[in-house]
Amino acid sequence: IHSALANRIIANALAANLVQEFAGYTSMKREVKLGDSTIDFELIFGSRDDATIEKRVLIEVKSVTLATDESTCQGRRAVFPDCVSERAARHANCLTDHQIKCNSFMDINAPVTETVLLFLIHRHDCSSFSASNYDIDNAKALHQAYEHGVKRLPYHIRLDPFKDKEQRIEWLGKVPFVDIIGEGEVDVEALEAVKVKKKRANKISST
C-alpha cells in the first residue's frame, strides 16, 4: 500500500474530525519543514477573528500493514516498521528534539506545541500496536519520544476494495500502543548485539 494513501486518508479523517484528539482545528498545512525532515501535517488551533495561535500540532503519519500473532492470545498486533528504517527513526528523533526544545521554552504567552506520530493501520484484525523488533533503533526512538511528550497514536481502518468508492474505507478508531522497550518485551542488549553482528557480516561480504 503506497504511503501517500495513508496521508490522504488522514487528511480526510482530520477534516471530518475523526481523529478525536485534534477536532476543531482552525487550519491545516501539508509538508512542513522541521530541521532536516519534512513533517506531514501542521494543524493550527486559534481564533479565526484575530488570527491568534493557541496551539500548533505537528503530525507525522506512518503507514502500517504488518501484523504478528500475540503470545498472550489477545489477537493480532500491528507492528511498524516491517524492516529496518533509518527514516522512521529519524522522523521520531526529529519530533522528539523539537518537543524537548518547546518544553524548555518558558514564554507563557507562546502557543502550545504538540508533536505526534500517527500510525495508520491498514487492517481491521489487530487489537494493539507496537514498534516491531525488526528495528531496535526505531523502537528505542519511539520510547524516547514518549518519554519527552511526543504523542503516539495508532488508528486502524477496514479496507474493502469491493465496495463503492465512498465506502471502501471504514474508520475504526484507536488501538492501544504497546511500548516494547518500556514494558520490557524485548531484550535490547541482545538485539543490539545481533545488529552489530549483521553490520560486521555485511562489511565482510562487501569486501
Side-chain angles (χ1 to χ4, degrees), residues 185-199:
E185 282 196 10
V186 296
D187 186 334
V188 176
E189 290 186 2
L191 291 176
E192 290 281 11
V194 170
K195 184 177 71 172
V196 170
K197 288 181 180 179
K198 286 182 178 179
K199 284 185 177 180

Side-chain angles (χ1 to χ4, degrees), residues 25 34 86 139:
Y25 64 88
L34 186 65
E86 293 181 1

Side-chain angles (χ1 to χ4, degrees), residues 25 50 95 118:
Y25 64 88
D50 58 9
L95 289 177
L118 198 158

